[in-house]
């Protein structure tokens, strides 16, 4: 399950439990809508409560980022999981944005919101 919030040029995505393909497609629609009308966006992924994700989500993420990776300024990921940290650096190969991993949510939000 995901929750999506929008604050100015920031899209905040929190994943709770399993991250499914349906959830990812909802994220895609929200972000594409935001960037279509407002230009480049900043993303904040809160993965602290994510238990796992399906293989089809990983594949969809690679395809989406390859096609839309230039539409972001900053991407912050909040996680304590080493596997998710590694996945974030792979994600970084497909985007033209500053990508950072954080353990603290407030630090991540402050960094990703700079220069708004």
């Amino acid at each position: 399950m995901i929750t999506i919030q929008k604050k100015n040029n920031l899209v905040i995505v929190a994943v709770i439990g399993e991250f499914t393909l349906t959830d990812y497609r909802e994220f895609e629609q929200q972000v594409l809508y935001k960037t279509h009308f407002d230009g480049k966006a900043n993303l904040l992924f809160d993965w602290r409560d994510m238990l796992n994700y399906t293989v089809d989500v990983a594949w969809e993420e690679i395809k989406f980022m390859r096609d839309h990776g230039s539409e972001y300024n900053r991407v912050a990921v909040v996680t304590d999981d080493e596997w998710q940290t590694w996945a974030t650096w792979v994600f970084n190969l497909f985007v033209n944005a500053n990508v950072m991993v954080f353990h603290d949510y407030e630090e991540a939000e402050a960094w990703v919101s700079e220069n708004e």
Side-chain angles (χ1 to χ4, degrees), residues 21-32:
L21 185 58
T22 301
D23 295 331
Y24 196 84
R25 291 212 168 117
E26 180 182 344
F27 155 75
E28 288 176 332
Q29 290 174 353
Q30 296 284 333
V31 170
L32 289 175

Side-chain angles (χ1 to χ4, degrees), residues 49-77:
D49 294 323
M50 181 169 69
L51 298 177
N52 60 14
Y53 55 91
T54 58
V55 173
D56 52 353
V57 169
W59 179 244
E60 186 69 20
E61 182 176 26
I62 290 170
K63 292 188 315 184
F64 182 80
M65 291 305 157
R66 183 191 64 218
D67 295 340
H68 302 284
S70 63
E71 298 172 17
Y72 312 108
N73 291 314
R74 290 182 172 209
V75 179
V77 176

Side-chain angles (χ1 to χ4, degrees), residues 5 10 18-19 31 39 42 44-45 71 75-76 79-80 82 88 97-98 101 116:
Q5 298 176 311
L10 176 61
E18 184 176 63
F19 196 12
V31 170
N42 293 327
L44 173 56
F45 290 103
E71 298 172 17
V75 179
T79 185
D80 289 323
E82 292 302 317
T88 299
N98 292 323
V101 176
E116 273 196 26

Side-chain angles (χ1 to χ4, degrees), residues 4-12 30-31 33-34:
I4 300 173
Q5 298 176 311
K6 297 176 194 158
K7 291 183 182 179
N8 302 323
N9 197 34
L10 176 61
V11 178
I12 302 169
Q30 296 284 333
V31 170
Y33 180 85
K34 177 91 174 136

